[in-house]
Amino acid sequence: MGITKTEIFTEEQNTLAQFAKAIGHPARVAILQYLFKLNACVCGDLVEEIGLAQPTISQHLKELKNVGLIKGNVEGTSVCYCIDMDQWQKMAHIMTHFLNQELPKTNCC
């Protein structure tokens, strides 16, 4: 696999790409939607709700946590997850700015 050379891109470009990658899987979208729907930390098992194996859910949670969209606390033997609202707002701002760019008025293609 080739090197991505992230250092040649701006911080905003790299951040946008990381967010897009994190929400680029339907299981992660489902996890985020479930956390928003509950509007609370989830300490229970997401396996029944999402329908995937525990190791798979754990991997998706790890990816979401790595970009900061969720945060987790260890309580006893379980880990509780919730949306990191500050990071969510950051992602919303960056993606909105990117998606709201004016399309050029050209006759290209």
Side-chain angles (χ1 to χ4, degrees):
M1 178 177 256
I3 298 173
T4 59
K5 297 188 180 183
T6 56
E7 69 276 357
I8 68 171
F9 302 106
T10 67
E11 181 179 344
E12 183 175 327
Q13 289 167 333
N14 282 302
T15 302
L16 177 63
Q18 290 169 348
F19 284 137
K21 182 179 177 184
I23 63 170
H25 193 286
R28 293 184 206 135
V29 172
I31 290 168
L32 291 167
Q33 287 175 325
Y34 183 67
L35 292 174
F36 270 111
K37 183 175 87 173
L38 289 181
N39 195 25
C41 287
V42 174
C43 298
D45 198 5
L46 289 170
V47 171
E48 287 183 34
E49 181 64 33
I50 306 300
L52 298 172
Q54 183 61 52
T56 305
I57 295 288
S58 294
Q59 183 61 37
H60 288 303
L61 289 169
K62 179 181 173 187
E63 293 297 325
L64 292 169
K65 192 170 181 185
N66 283 344
V67 295
L69 292 178
I70 63 172
K71 52 188 174 181
N73 302 332
V74 176
E75 293 187 11
T77 59
S78 65
V79 180
C80 298
Y81 291 99
C82 62
I83 301 290
D84 185 325
M85 294 310 292
D86 291 335
Q87 195 71 346
W88 183 266
Q89 291 296 327
K90 179 181 178 181
M91 181 183 73
H93 174 76
I94 289 171
M95 289 195 156
T96 300
H97 181 263
F98 177 71
L99 294 172
N100 284 339
Q101 296 179 79
E102 291 292 323
L103 294 173
K105 302 207 184 322
T106 66
N107 292 328
C108 179
C109 306

